[in-house]
Amino acid sequence: DGGITQSPKYLFRKEGQNVTLSCEQNLNHDAMYWYRQDPGQGLRLIYYSQIVNDFQKGDIAEGYSVSREKKESFPLTVTSAQKNPTAFYLCASQWETSQPQHFGDGTRLSIL
Amino acid sequence: GQQVMQIPQYQHVQEGEDFTTYCNSSTTLSNIQWYKQRPGGHPVFLIQLVKSGEVKKQKRLTFQFGEAKKNSSLHITATQTTDVGTYFCALNAGGTSYGKLTFGQGTILTVHP
């Protein structure tokens, strides 16, 4: 069954700690995206990748980092430099630029 | 950068009433997509509009794309409790944007039985 898997579902971060959110897809999509959603708000783009070994900053990249070593995987690291990391993080993939994006179930990150 | 305004932010209706959300862009769009996010869930694609003046229907849902390709609307006829959720428009400017979407803030729909 094809889809996008995000893990973990819930994550807690301590002060000064880096945490990594996993995103894996078996849809054979080239493009992948990371969004942040705050309560009652829309999705804001953090990073995106159009192809393996290449990625670009989105609108709110500060305090985040990504890698795209494999087509299937696009992990997001929330670094200690991100002072307000509490949010719902959504990963999406896209087959082709004019096509819709498919989303994972998301990861809820909170500060301890 | 591209600006998007989606209104209203909240809409409370009685079951059976109609509902409309509007999306306006500061720039001409390549296409516009609509997504629905159920409470606690993730956005799910509803439809994509590409042509100027396009109108598409999905059962009780009607989607319109403006003639100038800068605005769009989603109308739900006779709402049901299953329509509850947040409806987002997502703008695709095309060109060098390469599939990037700019999401509106969403309209949160509550349906009272």
Side-chain angles (χ1 to χ4, degrees):
Chain A
D1 186 26
I4 301 176
T5 302
Q6 287 188 244
S7 62
K9 191 169 184 177
Y10 300 96
L11 187 59
F12 298 91
R13 195 192 87 170
K14 295 180 181 178
E15 293 286 342
Q17 185 182 43
N18 294 352
V19 291
T20 297
L21 284 60
S22 170
C23 179
E24 303 278 332
Q25 55 101 356
N26 60 6
L27 299 168
N28 200 33
H29 289 175
D30 283 320
M32 297 186 75
Y33 303 81
W34 273 106
Y35 295 92
R36 170 182 172 138
Q37 186 176 31
D38 293 283
Q41 297 192 27
L43 283 67
R44 291 185 290 168
L45 184 63
I46 305 173
Y47 268 97
Y48 65 103
S49 169
Q50 302 166 1
I51 199 167
V52 175
N53 292 322
D54 185 56
F55 49 83
Q56 284 78 40
K57 292 181 179 180
D59 301 318
I60 55 165
E62 185 173 351
Y64 301 97
S65 66
V66 293
S67 63
R68 187 84 187 276
E69 298 177 0
K70 298 186 300 181
K71 188 175 186 177
E72 304 80 24
S73 179
F74 191 40
L76 173 74
T77 296
V78 184
T79 74
S80 56
Q82 173 50 247
K83 298 306 180 187
N84 184 24
T86 298
F88 186 43
Y89 290 86
L90 286 158
C91 178
S93 72
Q94 184 183 43
W95 171 55
E96 191 260 338
T97 59
S98 65
Q99 296 300 308
Q101 294 184 10
H102 299 262
F103 287 84
D105 289 337
T107 293
R108 294 191 184 276
L109 176 62
S110 302
I111 296 251
L112 280 178
Chain B
Q2 188 170 58
Q3 301 288 327
V4 55
M5 176 176 289
Q6 188 175 351
I7 57 171
Q9 188 174 2
Y10 302 95
Q11 186 76 59
H12 307 277
V13 300
Q14 289 293 131
E15 190 171 19
E17 292 182 340
D18 292 355
F19 158 76
T20 305
T21 175
Y22 301 89
C23 187
N24 294 288
S25 168
S26 58
T27 59
T28 302
L29 304 170
S30 170
N31 65 65
I32 190 165
Q33 299 174 8
W34 285 92
Y35 291 79
K36 176 183 178 181
Q37 184 176 25
R38 294 184 185 275
H42 59 271
V44 174
F45 173 75
L46 293 176
I47 208 158
Q48 177 172 270
L49 304 171
V50 178
K51 299 177 183 177
S52 169
E54 189 170 17
V55 178
K56 286 189 176 180
K57 293 190 176 185
Q58 288 180 348
K59 298 183 180 178
R60 295 179 293 106
L61 279 61
T62 302
F63 304 83
Q64 296 190 9
F65 201 8
E67 293 289 342
K69 299 184 74 173
K70 295 179 72 174
N71 58 77
S72 181
S73 65
L74 157 59
H75 179 83
I76 302 178
T77 303
T79 54
Q80 300 175 359
T81 54
T82 53
D83 296 325
V84 164
T86 304
Y87 292 85
F88 293 100
C89 62
L91 315 184
N92 186 339
T96 57
S97 297
Y98 191 91
K100 278 177 54 182
L101 298 176
T102 300
F103 281 81
Q105 289 193 316
T107 296
I108 300 173
L109 173 63
T110 306
V111 180
H112 300 284

